[in-house]
Amino acid sequence: MTTAAKPDYQTQHKKRLSYMPWLYFSLKEKHLAWAKPWQDEVQAHFSAVETVLIGENCFIAPEANLFAEPGRNIEMGKQCMIAADSFLHGPITLGDEVAINHGCSFDGGRHGITIGNQTRIANNVTIYAFNHGMAPNTPVYQQASNSKGVVIGDDVWIGAQAGIVDGVTIGDHAVVGMGAVVTKDVAQYAIVAGNPAGVIGDRRDKT
């Protein structure tokens, strides 16, 4: 009689953390005993091969894709999390306690993406801090790109599958609805939705 192989719970748990990284910050000591060395190894790899500066007590899924050449750094404050299948190309600066969920795609262009403290970004959000020229007499791909940068404030919530274009500033405490396409600045506390995104409310009116 053969004995069934013991399930590989640790590998499955690592995958769970990669896609739901907020769970890392509530692990019990017995799980941190293997999870912390695993994260130290993942983060050491990114720091060695890319220009990535990682704050204390962060979580980065090994399936994340971070690209940061010198001069296009990715810098993270403390207790940030980046989930699996995300693509980040610097320059990108994250404050403290920033969450980037799975499948996001960010490119900082020349002037960068800056994200403030405690901002939460849901899955499959796209932020591109550059744009192509569109003169009609030359193919788009042959035209020079331009970059203004994107700034997102503190305590902002960006819903799943939202898109944010170059040159936009989103004020502190704002909310961007699921699937919104943000083409203009968003005021503090504003709630925006739609394509193009428009104001539909104010967080200060919520109870």
Side-chain angles (χ1 to χ4, degrees), residues 69-119:
E69 304 84 21
R72 296 193 65 156
N73 299 8
I74 295 175
E75 301 183 12
M76 304 166 55
K78 63 185 180 183
Q79 205 164 322
C80 293
M81 59 186 87
I82 300 175
D85 301 331
S86 289
F87 163 83
L88 278 69
H89 184 202
I92 297 172
T93 302
L94 310 181
D96 298 333
E97 300 176 52
V98 175
I100 298 172
N101 279 280
H102 64 274
C104 289
S105 185
F106 299 171
D107 194 305
R110 287 194 307 275
H111 289 282
I113 297 168
T114 301
I115 301 173
N117 300 325
Q118 300 181 321
T119 284

Side-chain angles (χ1 to χ4, degrees), residues 95-200:
D96 298 333
E97 300 176 52
V98 175
I100 298 172
N101 279 280
H102 64 274
C104 289
S105 185
F106 299 171
D107 194 305
R110 287 194 307 275
H111 289 282
I113 297 168
T114 301
I115 301 173
N117 300 325
Q118 300 181 321
T119 284
R120 319 305 271 185
I121 299 177
N123 64 289
N124 296 104
V125 169
T126 57
I127 306 174
Y128 284 86
F130 71 93
N131 212 335
H132 283 288
M134 292 181 282
N137 58 344
T138 306
V140 167
Y141 83 95
Q142 293 181 355
Q143 298 187 43
S145 62
N146 52 75
S147 176
K148 299 176 182 177
V150 172
V151 178
I152 300 171
D154 297 339
D155 182 36
V156 174
W157 177 18
I158 299 177
Q161 300 179 338
I164 300 169
V165 305
D166 185 36
V168 163
T169 295
I170 298 177
D172 297 344
H173 316 295
V175 176
V176 175
M178 180 184 292
V181 178
V182 183
T183 61
K184 297 180 180 179
D185 290 354
V186 177
Q188 293 185 4
Y189 293 97
I191 303 171
V192 301
N195 181 7
V199 178
I200 62 169

